[in-house]
Amino acid sequence: MLCLFFSISTTWADTVWMNNGDVLSGDIVKLDSGKLSLQTKYAGTIELDWRYVTALDSDKTFWVSLIGEDEARLRRFEGQDTGITVIDDNGRKRSFSAVWPVAAIHIEKPAIADTWELGGNLVATLDSKSGNDDELLIGVEGKLNIDDQWNKNAFYWDIEAEDDDGIKSSEWKVGYSYSRYLDEHWFVQGAAEQEYDSEEDLRTRTSLGGTLGYRFWETAEKALKTSGGISQLWEDYKTNESQRDYALTWIFNYRTRIINNWEYFANSRTFFRLKQSTTLVNVNQGIKIGLTDHISWNLTQIVDYDSNPVDKTQKVDSRIKMGIGYQW
């Protein structure tokens, strides 16, 4: 009878594996806005950050939304340690290496499939520019994300200012991108960005375009995405003639956890100007160290390359940026 009781009590318990090695048992209540609610006997209802969940296992049937779908469907989960198998009500199985394709879980059928999540980060920076008399600039950069299961909106900015012996200069970059996920891997993206520098001959550069992308993976530990397409470039100069051109575009985003709270990231954007047959590359890489759950120290190297600069003097511009950031 003890064996029968133990079997009945554990059959209906859901199991959750976390990236730190913890294995939690309880009853899944819901996954909504990036938080998994788990009802436990030992701590009541706890909320788990979905980014740190690595696997789920349950004999129950839930209303589950996957990225790229328009509505929730009845499904079950199988998994252990890392990865998840989603079983539809008709018996169809799909296996994933991580849990991120699962966007929402509900016991009752949700009236509205979309659940939006707000997040972002803000970083105060010191910027050292090589090859330039302006050695030190103070700035602030940030990013605001508004996401649901299959739509991602990102607003970002980077503003710097300097007062060098009464001579004031400024430069900034602002942008917006919208990504629509077609399934757990493929997505389309539209993006617009403008850069401004009060001191350089290249006063403003504006880009507007669209790409088709593929997400290899995206978890709390690591992420890898890339996309390609076409953009239009507008480049306005103080003394030289303005340039207008279409460009083939390639975007690359990567991050991985090195040790503990140390994270390496590398992002790049490449334009191949079709009319001029020249290449423009921006690489942004660095280390982020988590000091607390929300505070981090950031060290970033920014490299800009233009195969045919208008001033014909400097193809590569490199800078090192250091700052303290807050993430929510």
Side-chain angles (χ1 to χ4, degrees):
M1 290 184 68
L2 280 174
C3 291
L4 178 61
F5 174 79
F6 181 79
S7 175
I8 292 174
S9 65
T10 56
T11 297
W12 292 99
D14 306 323
T15 306
V16 181
W17 284 264
M18 306 298 293
N19 69 339
N20 63 358
D22 290 347
V23 182
L24 308 177
S25 295
D27 292 314
I28 293 174
V29 178
K30 64 178 180 177
L31 167 64
D32 192 18
S33 298
K35 301 293 183 182
L36 179 69
S37 298
L38 184 70
Q39 176 68 43
T40 68
K41 293 180 179 179
Y42 46 86
T45 301
I46 59 177
E47 283 196 345
L48 306 171
D49 193 321
W50 189 239
R51 297 174 298 170
Y52 301 109
V53 176
T54 60
L56 286 182
D57 188 78
S58 178
D59 289 330
K60 300 175 186 176
T61 299
F62 300 95
W63 288 96
V64 179
S65 299
L66 297 180
I67 290 175
E69 295 182 337
D70 295 329
E71 62 181 3
R73 294 175 173 82
L74 286 171
R75 293 175 167 125
R76 292 185 294 111
F77 298 115
E78 288 181 358
Q80 188 171 359
D81 294 331
T82 301
I84 190 172
T85 297
V86 178
I87 307 172
D88 291 353
D89 207 29
N90 60 9
R92 180 192 179 193
K93 292 186 177 183
R94 277 171 288 177
S95 297
F96 308 104
S97 60
V99 300
W100 55 260
V102 179
I105 301 172
H106 294 279
I107 296 176
E108 302 289 338
K109 185 174 182 179
I112 301 176
D114 290 8
T115 53
W116 293 89
E117 181 179 5
L118 181 67
N121 62 278
L122 195 65
V123 183
T125 63
L126 295 176
D127 185 356
S128 173
K129 298 182 65 177
S130 65
N132 194 303
D133 292 336
D134 300 334
E135 292 297 334
L136 189 64
L137 298 93
I138 299 175
V140 60
E141 63 181 71
K143 187 176 183 181
L144 178 65
N145 302 309
I146 306 175
D147 305 334
D148 70 354
Q149 292 96 309
W150 46 83
N151 300 283
K152 291 183 179 292
N153 297 272
F155 302 87
Y156 55 92
W157 60 92
D158 186 355
I159 302 171
E160 295 180 330
E162 182 189 35
D163 189 341
D164 185 10
D165 295 330
I167 301 175
K168 296 182 179 180
S169 62
S170 63
E171 56 183 281
W172 47 258
K173 176 171 67 176
V174 295
Y176 166 75
S177 67
Y178 167 73
S179 302
R180 167 71 184 190
Y181 278 82
L182 309 176
D183 59 22
E184 63 269 16
H185 292 293
W186 292 98
F187 64 92
V188 292
Q189 184 181 82
E193 182 178 284
Q194 185 172 77
E195 301 174 64
Y196 169 85
D197 193 324
S198 64
E199 294 299 305
E200 299 293 331
D201 186 40
L202 176 58
R203 177 64 63 89
T204 62
R205 175 184 286 129
T206 305
S207 63
L208 176 65
T211 57
L212 174 65
Y214 187 84
R215 173 170 60 181
F216 292 89
W217 58 76
E218 188 172 15
T219 68
E221 301 290 334
K222 56 184 180 179
L224 176 60
K225 297 188 292 184
T226 186
S227 62
I230 192 166
S231 302
Q232 187 167 19
L233 291 177
W234 293 268
E235 295 173 309
D236 296 319
Y237 298 85
K238 291 181 183 178
T239 59
N240 290 279
E241 184 179 352
S242 298
Q243 304 288 332
R244 304 287 187 275
D245 207 343
Y246 284 96
L248 297 178
T249 307
W250 177 54
I251 300 171
F252 175 84
N253 303 108
Y254 174 77
R255 62 173 171 81
T256 185
R257 181 167 296 175
I258 306 172
I259 53 171
N260 298 327
N261 295 324
W262 290 57
E263 179 181 281
Y264 169 77
F265 60 89
N267 305 302
S268 70
R269 191 176 59 161
T270 302
F271 294 110
F272 178 75
R273 303 181 183 98
L274 295 176
K275 188 189 303 182
Q276 305 174 44
S277 296
T278 58
T279 304
L280 177 68
V281 182
N282 172 263
V283 179
N284 188 315
Q285 65 171 344
I287 299 290
K288 184 167 91 170
I289 303 174
L291 304 178
T292 69
D293 289 341
H294 296 286
I295 305 297
S296 65
W297 180 79
N298 304 268
L299 181 66
T300 306
Q301 180 191 26
I302 302 171
V303 179
D304 291 307
Y305 168 80
D306 193 335
S307 65
N308 186 30
V310 172
D311 56 15
K312 308 296 182 183
T313 58
Q314 188 173 339
K315 291 186 177 182
V316 179
D317 180 43
S318 178
R319 59 172 70 178
I320 300 294
K321 182 181 291 188
M322 181 175 61
I324 294 291
Y326 177 79
Q327 181 173 332
W328 67 90

